[in-house]
Amino acid sequence: MISKFLSLEWKSFIRSASFGKSLAIKIVMGFFALYFILVFLALGFGLYPILQKTFPDQDPFIVVNGFIFFWFLGDLLLRFFLQKLPVMSVKPLLTIPIKRSSIVHFVLGKSAFSFFNFLPLFAIIPFSIILITKDYPLATVMTWAAAMILLTLINNFLNFIIESFSAETELSFLPIIIFAGTLFGLNYFNIINISGALSTAMLAIVNNPLLLLILIVILIGLYLFNHKILIKKLYLDHSLKTKIKEVTTSDLGWTKRFGDSAPFMQLDLKLIWRNKRPRSAVFMLVFGLLYGLFFYPQPIYRDMPIMYGFIGVFVTGIFLINFGQFIPAWDSGYYKMLMSQNIKYEQYLKSKYTLMVLSVIIMFVLSIPYVYFGWKILVAHFAAAVYNIGVNSYVIMLGGSFNRKKIDLNQRAAFNFQGTGAVQWLIGIPLLLLPLAIFGLLSHFVSFYAGISALILLGVIGIIFHQKIMRFITNKYLDSKYEMIKAFNQDN
Amino acid sequence: MITTTNLSKKYSGNEVLNISNLDIPKGQSFGLVGNNGAGKTTYFSLLLDLIKPTTGYIKTNGILVNESEDWKPFTSAFIDESFLIGYLTPEEYFYFIGDLRGQNKQDVDNLVSQFEDFFHGEILGQKKYLRDLSKGNQKKAGIVAALIGNPEVIILDEPFANLDPTTQIRLKQIIKDLAEKKGVTVLVSSHDLMHVTDVCERIVVLDKGHVIKDIQTSEATLKELEAHFSGTANPV
């Protein structure tokens, strides 16, 4: 039975539509994976000497155990946002004579081989080796490593339990935040000294390997609990349940002032507000707004006016980038219908353009308080906003005409690479690097205000030639009409 | 009204449609039947300029479909669920289509209210998004949306599939009325021979992309079609 499952798994891997196509994503994802592996390896090898230096009078091994609690929480949070239990893939198996129980065992068993469970090994093993070279008893180190691996697996299954509960709430990330926050808070305010307790527990286990059994029992318990939850969910009306909630409608009458693109404006606003993925582009606004706070308070960056331009483009353009890069893929689900309707493509694009311009203006206004860190910042943000309106908005729409990836609007947003192709990576070059280069070079070699003027000038030119540029972009979209319809019709 | 000339569509050398000549006069209710892969949806997609013909062309009202877009104001269609916008309520969807076809809210309300019977109380005022409706109800909304804006040509791919018996009967009446009373050219495809013979004045049978029968519907048509499909039908 297991071998059949495994062969299915292998086929789904190599025959998936994205296997050949999205090489760029594969490379980027591979790069991320490699990066994390290296980070963990560095951690594993470097931890001991670092701790020895920072806490010269303490035993590094003891110090490490004091941090296990934070490792545990961090790992859990990371998993929650990145790791998914692939329940949906078993839908076709439900009607064939395989015991539900063994399907669940397979799904759960498979999850144990996730990248997230191997990653910690890259830190645990080198650290253990170093411990041995530092004359720690072999048995102690082995027990410690075993305990850490068990903890990792416990996290693996604990995460799925939390996820299954959070799937039922509207704010899906709330349970994990509450869970992690409560643990952290209890510890931080010393109400319950969890990190101390965990550290003591770890030392107890190391001294008495028999106590590993407790961890194993916890692991089995979590596994069985998962099994219990999942087996109940393995029905179409459960794991496939789409929650239906009552809809409140608003007529968005104010969009009428945008003339003939008003219907599309209304559609776009509903698109953004009623679907998970585009909605996250709105929440990114907050992140974008705060982005400047990473840099401006630090004196190093404040003396580097070059950074102002870059941060300005990013802050005022965050929605433009997040929303714009998936034009027209946002509408991929009903693209056929739009194409057979009596519409002018220009109106359709103009609606997207208007939205992006509005967002840039709003972001600029909201970013005005940065003037606290200096007038130049405000000036740079203004120039960047003009550049975003006059250049970047067109660039990103032009990039969209090469978009060939469908987007399923209802999928979770964070780290969802669906719909992402080479276009999305390449578009970043003209979008962010070009203004940075123009502004950076001019302000470095000529003067700050020369750089500012260049950005504003380019933006104004773009705004003046709006009609011409829009017509050019519209034609690009029309040229690739059939290809887009075909591509959006496929599930990837 | 609709003339098809030397139309063919090939996918990597594989011919899926080849119609040398097909004329559909104005106000005709036209039925397209055929097994899976016969080319019904391909033909409809070509009619809507959703795919590019390999050779030949379709003219609606004298307008070359794949070159001009002037056929769009008087043509409407419901091919499949991808014609619906899942995150809108049915009402919002009707208004949106209405906007695109130059109809104001009042026009749309007037039209839609005629179909309350057809909707059976399951579409309007439900406070649900289209994506949360059942397949059958989605289809009802899509079909009615295709009637918005007084189109002269209406294309419905498999309109009877997924509908309950009551709705099927009502839909048949709607299609008949459109062709007989309003002079609308209705193109319908179906796997259900009974339904097409009930509804359509003319039935064309496609097989592997070719027109192999072109029948004016009469008493004997259903028998003839049944004989044809039981004899030559390929097991799917």
Side-chain angles (χ1 to χ4, degrees):
Chain A
M1 190 58 70
I2 289 295
S3 69
K4 281 223 181 64
F5 279 135
L6 288 178
S7 104
L8 272 180
E9 202 55 42
W10 176 245
K11 279 176 191 154
S12 89
F13 176 65
I14 58 170
R15 293 183 187 171
S16 79
S18 57
F19 188 71
K21 280 184 206 159
S22 52
L23 196 64
I25 298 178
K26 285 247 150 55
I27 291 171
V28 172
M29 294 295 273
F31 183 76
F32 275 134
L34 200 66
Y35 170 78
F36 279 116
I37 288 174
L38 286 178
V39 167
F40 272 71
L41 274 178
L43 184 73
F45 281 113
L47 195 58
Y48 194 92
I50 293 169
L51 287 177
Q52 223 167 15
K53 242 186 185 169
T54 24
F55 304 101
D57 46 350
Q58 286 181 49
D59 182 352
F61 182 59
I62 310 274
V63 179
V64 164
N65 285 331
F67 282 111
I68 283 180
F69 170 65
F70 303 101
W71 160 290
F72 184 79
L73 275 191
D75 186 34
L76 196 60
L77 279 172
L78 205 67
R79 281 167 189 278
F80 180 80
F81 287 106
L82 299 181
Q83 198 184 7
K84 286 276 135 319
L85 197 56
V87 198
M88 292 302 254
S89 60
V90 302
K91 197 172 137 195
L93 300 180
L94 291 183
T95 50
I96 45 179
I98 302 174
K99 279 211 180 93
R100 270 167 196 280
S101 172
S102 47
I103 297 178
V104 172
H105 279 305
F106 172 69
V107 171
L108 288 175
K110 195 178 121 190
S111 78
F113 293 94
S114 144
F115 176 69
F116 292 92
N117 298 330
F118 283 106
L119 194 55
L121 290 180
F122 288 102
I124 294 171
I125 292 173
F127 187 70
S128 304
I129 292 170
I130 291 194
L131 283 181
I132 293 170
T133 61
K134 301 281 179 188
D135 289 335
Y136 283 83
L138 187 65
T140 308
V141 177
M142 293 300 275
T143 319
W144 182 81
M148 287 302 287
I149 291 167
L150 283 172
L151 264 183
T152 308
L153 287 172
I154 285 175
N155 246 349
N156 185 57
F157 291 110
L158 185 61
N159 170 46
F160 295 137
I161 295 176
I162 296 174
E163 269 181 22
S164 81
F165 285 118
S166 52
E168 284 159 29
T169 52
E170 177 53 20
L171 290 163
S172 56
F173 50 85
L174 211 57
I176 182 85
I177 301 284
I178 291 174
F179 181 76
T182 315
L183 282 185
F184 188 81
L186 285 176
N187 185 59
Y188 185 81
F189 295 109
N190 255 325
I191 300 167
I192 306 172
N193 187 357
I194 306 175
S195 61
L198 261 180
S199 160
T200 323
M202 197 50 129
L203 289 177
I205 291 171
V206 168
N207 289 327
N208 187 357
L210 268 182
L211 291 176
L212 276 178
L213 280 175
I214 297 177
L215 286 181
I216 294 174
V217 168
I218 294 177
L219 181 62
I220 293 174
L222 286 172
Y223 181 90
L224 291 178
F225 191 62
N226 261 308
H227 192 273
K228 212 179 107 194
I229 300 178
L230 256 185
I231 211 160
K232 266 192 279 176
K233 278 201 174 173
L234 224 50
Y235 290 90
L236 289 188
D237 55 348
H238 243 107
S239 66
L240 277 180
K241 180 180 64 180
T242 41
K243 260 199 310 162
I244 300 174
K245 51 176 182 145
E246 263 206 5
V247 177
T248 45
T249 55
S250 48
D251 74 338
L252 302 167
W254 56 272
T255 54
K256 286 276 180 265
R257 73 187 61 186
F258 292 101
D260 46 13
S261 52
F264 294 109
M265 285 280 284
Q266 293 176 6
L267 189 66
D268 281 335
L269 289 170
K270 284 169 190 159
L271 165 87
I272 291 168
W273 202 244
R274 292 179 181 177
N275 295 290
K276 276 188 197 160
R277 188 123 174 239
R279 198 162 45 198
S280 77
V282 178
F283 291 127
M284 285 295 278
L285 288 179
V286 182
F287 171 74
L289 203 56
L290 299 177
Y291 189 69
L293 285 181
F294 291 121
F295 295 95
Y296 293 144
Q298 300 178 42
I300 320 168
Y301 294 108
R302 221 181 302 172
D303 299 332
M304 261 183 10
I306 293 179
M307 287 306 288
Y308 299 174
F310 176 71
I311 297 169
V313 170
F314 193 81
V315 169
T316 58
I318 180 124
F319 178 81
L320 180 139
I321 295 169
N322 268 302
F323 180 74
Q325 63 175 330
F326 294 118
I327 297 172
W330 292 125
D331 300 303
S332 54
Y334 44 88
Y335 202 69
K336 263 200 292 191
M337 185 274 288
L338 285 182
M339 287 300 102
S340 71
Q341 279 297 344
N342 179 27
I343 63 165
K344 291 271 171 292
Y345 217 111
E346 210 163 334
Q347 294 161 12
Y348 167 81
L349 286 176
K350 203 177 150 206
S351 153
K352 312 267 180 208
Y353 175 78
T354 314
L355 272 182
M356 290 194 286
V357 168
L358 282 179
S359 81
V360 171
I361 295 171
I362 292 170
M363 287 306 278
F364 170 68
V365 171
L366 290 178
S367 77
I368 286 177
Y370 279 124
V371 74
Y372 173 79
F373 296 107
W375 273 104
K376 281 188 169 179
I377 290 177
L378 186 67
V379 176
H381 279 198
F382 177 74
V386 175
Y387 184 86
N388 269 332
I389 293 174
V391 181
N392 273 348
S393 57
Y394 303 124
V395 170
I396 208 154
M397 283 200 290
L398 194 61
S401 69
F402 298 97
N403 225 329
R404 300 284 184 275
K405 301 256 175 184
K406 182 184 175 147
I407 284 186
D408 182 355
L409 289 168
N410 293 316
Q411 298 218 331
R412 168 197 292 259
F415 293 89
N416 184 345
F417 283 97
Q418 193 195 33
T420 314
V423 179
Q424 274 71 30
W425 303 104
L426 291 176
I427 199 86
I429 296 171
L431 216 56
L432 289 170
L433 294 187
L434 194 67
L436 183 67
I438 294 169
F439 179 75
L441 288 175
L442 279 171
S443 72
H444 192 259
F445 291 110
V446 188
S447 76
F448 175 74
Y449 287 101
I452 294 288
S453 316
L455 286 189
I456 293 182
L457 188 70
L458 285 172
V460 170
I461 291 174
I463 295 168
I464 290 172
F465 289 103
H466 176 72
Q467 301 290 345
K468 275 217 164 69
I469 300 175
M470 282 304 268
R471 217 166 300 139
F472 173 73
I473 296 174
T474 308
N475 283 332
K476 279 269 169 260
Y477 274 84
L478 287 176
D479 285 346
S480 42
K481 172 183 164 181
Y482 298 112
E483 276 170 70
M484 280 196 212
I485 293 174
K486 193 178 155 212
F488 291 160
N489 224 0
Q490 284 166 342
D491 291 314
N492 47 357
Chain B
M1 182 95 195
I2 301 173
T3 32
T4 306
T5 315
N6 290 330
L7 187 73
S8 77
K9 179 70 190 170
K10 278 187 187 145
Y11 285 111
S12 49
N14 219 345
E15 194 174 69
V16 292
L17 191 72
N18 188 341
I19 298 176
S20 57
N21 202 351
L22 187 65
D23 270 320
I24 304 169
K26 187 173 164 56
Q28 187 169 64
S29 53
F30 176 90
L32 205 54
V33 291
N35 290 325
N36 291 338
K40 302 184 297 285
T41 307
T42 308
Y43 182 58
F44 283 169
S45 299
L46 285 162
L47 262 170
L48 294 168
D49 192 35
L50 295 175
I51 51 179
K52 216 185 173 120
T54 310
T55 65
Y57 55 86
I58 300 177
K59 269 188 182 177
T60 333
N61 253 354
I63 299 158
L64 262 180
V65 165
N66 57 334
E67 280 180 10
S68 163
E69 294 194 67
D70 294 337
W71 52 271
K72 284 183 176 175
F74 61 83
T75 309
S76 77
F78 184 68
I79 302 290
D80 55 34
E81 287 83 41
S82 75
F83 270 57
L84 297 172
I85 302 177
Y87 55 85
L88 297 183
T89 64
E91 286 94 337
E92 287 172 337
Y93 179 66
F94 295 144
Y95 294 142
F96 176 69
I97 299 289
D99 267 331
L100 299 184
R101 312 198 128 252
Q103 305 277 299
N104 63 28
K105 270 196 171 162
Q106 193 56 48
D107 299 334
V108 175
D109 284 337
N110 285 345
L111 180 94
V112 169
S113 65
Q114 296 167 26
F115 296 99
E116 256 160 33
D117 214 22
F118 180 64
F119 286 150
H120 211 260
E122 286 170 330
I123 308 286
L124 298 174
Q126 295 295 297
K127 300 201 167 180
K128 275 185 192 172
Y129 294 135
L130 282 166
R131 64 179 175 218
D132 296 331
L133 296 179
S134 72
K135 282 250 189 285
N137 284 333
Q138 287 183 347
K139 194 147 222 166
K140 288 187 210 171
I143 290 171
V144 169
L147 308 181
I148 293 173
N150 308 314
E152 292 169 45
V153 178
I154 298 179
I155 298 165
L156 301 172
D157 195 11
E158 298 280 352
F160 298 106
N162 281 329
L163 292 184
D164 58 72
T166 312
T167 316
Q168 289 180 354
I169 292 164
R170 284 178 182 154
L171 178 60
K172 279 196 251 182
Q173 198 52 49
I174 292 172
I175 295 176
K176 272 186 190 164
D177 285 352
L178 281 171
E180 282 166 19
K181 295 183 188 154
K182 295 187 181 150
V184 177
T185 316
V186 190
L187 283 76
V188 171
S189 78
S190 182
H191 282 145
D192 193 311
L193 301 175
M194 268 243 279
H195 289 317
V196 265
T197 39
D198 277 354
V199 164
C200 300
E201 301 162 47
R202 177 183 173 197
I203 293 170
V204 160
V205 180
L206 278 182
D207 188 36
K208 293 183 182 137
H210 292 266
V211 175
I212 51 166
K213 265 184 196 297
D214 191 341
I215 315 167
Q216 295 294 326
T217 317
S218 66
E219 294 280 302
T221 306
L222 184 59
K223 280 257 153 48
E224 188 183 342
L225 287 173
E226 273 174 352
H228 167 76
F229 279 102
S230 54
T232 60
N234 303 311
V236 178

